[in-house]
Amino acid sequence: QVQLVESGGGLVQPGGSLRLSCVASGSFSIYYMGWYRQTPGKQRDLVAGITRDGSTNYADSVKGRFTISRDNDKNTVYLQMNSLKPEDTAVYYCNIISALNNYWGQGTQVTVSS
């Protein structure tokens, strides 16, 4: 059994911060961890990704504001979100790629509003 448990979403005011976590339980090796987000009627877009050796990439819209990190021993990926904007409002999904499979979390709602 492989399960991804996401946490850290919620309601925050513009300019505020949130930290998302995704813990992958089960026995498998993780090659890639990433965060995607999706709003109604739109595609699920990459926000940030990180490889096992620490290489990262970010969507242009979040560069300088979001930081992705991981703990390989704990099979956990984090997304630190600072200077949040209303445009960041979305459901955020954790994505983990192992040797054979691609796993998705169920999503966590992030709402940025006054």
Side-chain angles (χ1 to χ4, degrees):
Q1 179 182 353
V2 176
Q3 183 178 13
L4 273 55
V5 179
E6 303 179 17
S7 62
L11 174 64
V12 65
Q13 294 183 341
S17 298
L18 287 173
R19 184 176 178 85
L20 306 183
S21 299
C22 178
V23 181
S25 61
S27 298
F28 60 96
S29 296
I30 297 175
Y31 292 159
Y32 167 88
M33 302 178 180
W35 288 96
Y36 290 71
R37 66 187 181 187
Q38 186 174 26
T39 55
K42 297 182 64 178
Q43 297 183 19
R44 187 174 298 181
D45 296 323
L46 176 68
V47 177
I50 186 168
T51 65
R52 188 171 180 86
D53 66 0
S55 298
T56 60
N57 67 294
Y58 297 90
D60 289 339
S61 60
V62 306
K63 288 181 179 177
R65 299 188 298 119
F66 291 10
T67 302
I68 188 170
S69 60
R70 85 284 184 272
D71 187 327
N72 291 335
D73 292 335
K74 297 180 179 179
N75 288 344
T76 301
V77 61
Y78 307 93
L79 185 67
Q80 178 67 44
M81 304 184 293
N82 298 325
S83 302
L84 283 162
K85 305 175 181 179
E87 305 93 276
D88 296 318
T89 296
V91 177
Y92 285 70
Y93 296 90
C94 175
N95 173 231
I96 294 179
I97 299 176
S98 67
L100 296 176
N101 295 298
N102 187 14
Y103 304 99
W104 290 93
Q106 293 185 342
T108 183
Q109 177 70 47
V110 172
T111 302
V112 185
S113 176
S114 298

